[in-house]
Amino acid sequence: MPEIQYYNFYHVKTFLSKAVKDDRARTFFNFPQFFTKNTKAKFFLGIDGEGVKCLLLSEDSVKAIRAELEDLTSSRISSMPSSNVSYENLEAIYIDSYKAYKDIDKRMKSFNKTAKEKTKLRKMIHKSENAQKMYQAKKYFFVAIDIESYEKDHSCILEVGWSMYNSKTDLYMDRHFCVNENKHLRNGQYVPDMKNRFNFGKTIWEDQKTIAEEFVKDLTGDDVKGYVVIVGHGVNMDINYLETMGVKINDLIEDDYQFDTAEMNAARMGKPNERISLGRLLDILDIENYSLHNAGNDAHYSLLLFFELCKLPIMPPESEEPEQISDSD
């Protein structure tokens, strides 16, 4: 006996509404009429391969709805393409009113929000575990990046800093650049102005193009090529800034070699959506720090934070499953 196919209700609604160029086809699915009229649709709940709870229709129900639409519009509608999605934990449900639908929809969204967070947390934990393995391997070249922009126009880059650690040679090096083109712009009203407070070397004033070239040069040397790991606190924002400078990090360093210390800490705490500022997290973990909001300093402390997080245990995701949904609740 062939396996029964199930279709996501919203996919069916979209396909059949577009299949007939007739306003009656679109209004056929309007709420609450669709759930209160004498339709032959039988609904189910099921979980797809991504762990998402879906409102489903059986293949027979889809055919029945298509036949109703054909009678309504006096037109021929093509068959729904075969579903290539398998669903688990199938259960029949009864929807006889718009309220019943809204109750199911509300509880589905609650289930899926929890499931999505658990999936997100598992991925974050897996990435943090990879970071720890790289830290322990003693063969990678770690580079933490930070960029400071103008508080009144974030498209204007004021400072670029990066901190490097060669785990094979156990050597650190820090670099801090200020952008010549925006020399006339200073923070201080909303963000502290710390561009003259670099703690780990000499600040260099250069044009933005040269700064970008220096950064790429440090990442692509023959002695580090293939072993560069990018680190940052909210690193995607810094990567976006680098893009505007002409540095395509994703072309140089693959995603598996990019780590966000804010996300690593969220994984450690088992709270995938929690983000703690760099300064506060440094204080929480007792990492001594001075003159934050200087790009060079922030890069240096982000690197130290990364190493500290690599030493700390990672909390496993919660074991509880999301709330089950049934029509008997």
Side-chain angles (χ1 to χ4, degrees):
M1 181 180 290
E3 183 179 346
I4 297 175
Q5 286 195 325
Y6 292 89
Y7 295 81
N8 188 307
F9 166 69
Y10 300 104
H11 296 168
V12 174
K13 177 177 178 288
T14 300
F15 176 82
L16 293 179
S17 296
K18 290 181 177 179
V20 183
K21 294 181 179 180
D22 189 312
D23 287 339
R24 288 173 295 180
R26 289 185 285 275
T27 59
F28 177 81
F29 289 100
N30 282 355
F31 299 140
Q33 294 91 333
F34 181 79
F35 295 102
T36 56
K37 67 186 179 181
N38 185 26
T39 181
K40 298 176 183 178
K42 293 181 181 179
F43 291 95
F44 298 81
L45 291 173
I47 300 176
D48 68 13
E50 299 295 320
V52 175
K53 183 83 79 172
C54 303
L55 181 62
L56 306 173
L57 291 167
S58 69
E59 188 172 8
D60 287 342
S61 289
V62 174
K63 290 178 180 177
I65 292 173
R66 181 165 63 91
E68 285 188 64
L69 268 175
E70 287 182 330
D71 289 341
L72 176 68
T73 60
S74 301
S75 59
R76 182 72 176 167
I77 304 174
S78 58
S79 298
M80 184 88 183
S82 296
S83 172
N84 59 359
V85 180
S86 296
Y87 297 94
E88 298 180 345
N89 296 355
L90 287 163
E91 58 173 309
I93 58 170
Y94 186 59
I95 302 178
D96 61 350
S97 67
Y98 183 54
K99 181 181 183 303
Y101 165 77
K102 291 300 291 182
D103 287 344
I104 288 292
D105 185 61
K106 181 179 178 181
R107 291 159 58 203
M108 270 200 312
K109 286 178 179 176
S110 176
F111 178 100
N112 289 335
K113 180 181 178 182
T114 302
K116 183 178 180 180
E117 288 181 355
K118 291 188 177 220
T119 299
K120 182 179 180 180
L121 181 56
R122 281 193 292 270
K123 291 179 179 178
M124 290 167 65
I125 287 174
H126 177 69
K127 188 148 190 176
S128 291
E129 289 172 342
N130 287 341
Q132 291 184 337
K133 290 175 184 176
M134 288 182 172
Y135 171 71
Q136 294 164 1
K138 304 297 182 186
K139 67 177 182 180
Y140 291 97
F141 185 67
F142 298 95
V143 181
I145 177 73
D146 184 80
I147 293 175
E148 294 290 317
S149 63
Y150 182 44
E151 60 189 4
K152 297 180 182 179
D153 181 355
H154 292 291
S155 67
C156 298
I157 296 173
L158 303 184
E159 306 170 54
V160 183
W162 60 96
S163 183
M164 298 167 281
Y165 174 69
N166 191 328
S167 62
K168 290 187 289 188
T169 60
D170 194 30
L171 292 176
Y172 284 90
M173 186 171 76
D174 293 272
R175 307 193 75 180
H176 179 237
F177 288 87
C178 290
V179 179
N180 270 333
E181 293 93 320
N182 297 322
K183 196 170 187 177
H184 60 292
L185 301 176
R186 301 192 74 93
N187 290 334
Q189 184 174 351
Y190 307 116
V191 179
D193 179 9
M194 292 290 179
K195 66 169 60 175
N196 297 325
R197 301 287 295 276
F198 181 45
N199 299 330
F200 304 102
K202 181 181 178 182
T203 296
I204 299 173
W205 287 85
E206 271 291 0
D207 60 84
Q208 191 166 286
K209 182 175 181 293
T210 301
I211 296 170
E213 291 170 349
E214 288 295 312
F215 181 69
V216 171
K217 191 185 303 180
D218 281 346
L219 263 62
T220 54
D222 291 337
D223 55 333
V224 300
K225 197 172 183 180
Y227 292 94
V228 177
V229 175
I230 291 292
V231 176
H233 198 76
V235 71
N236 286 335
M237 183 177 293
D238 295 310
I239 288 174
N240 289 338
Y241 275 125
L242 288 170
E243 288 273 346
T244 68
M245 297 173 64
V247 179
K248 300 186 182 300
I249 282 291
N250 293 322
D251 291 343
L252 298 173
I253 312 295
E254 57 189 83
D255 182 70
D256 288 344
Y257 284 59
Q258 300 175 24
F259 297 98
D260 187 332
T261 49
E263 289 195 357
M264 288 175 67
N265 184 68
R268 180 181 73 90
M269 300 302 296
K271 298 178 179 179
N273 298 319
E274 181 172 282
R275 297 294 181 273
I276 297 177
S277 69
L278 176 62
R280 184 175 164 219
L281 189 51
L282 290 170
D283 291 340
I284 289 171
L285 297 179
D286 291 325
I287 299 173
E288 197 170 15
N289 58 91
Y290 302 95
S291 303
L292 295 180
H293 292 289
N294 173 287
N297 295 342
D298 284 6
H300 181 91
Y301 294 125
S302 294
L303 191 58
L304 296 184
L305 174 60
F306 173 77
F307 294 149
E308 182 65 22
L309 291 170
C310 284
K311 299 172 189 175
L312 295 173
I314 302 171
M315 287 181 63
E318 297 175 8
S319 58
E320 296 85 5
E321 291 299 319
E323 175 194 0
Q324 295 296 315
I325 302 173
S326 71
D327 57 327
S328 62
D329 287 344

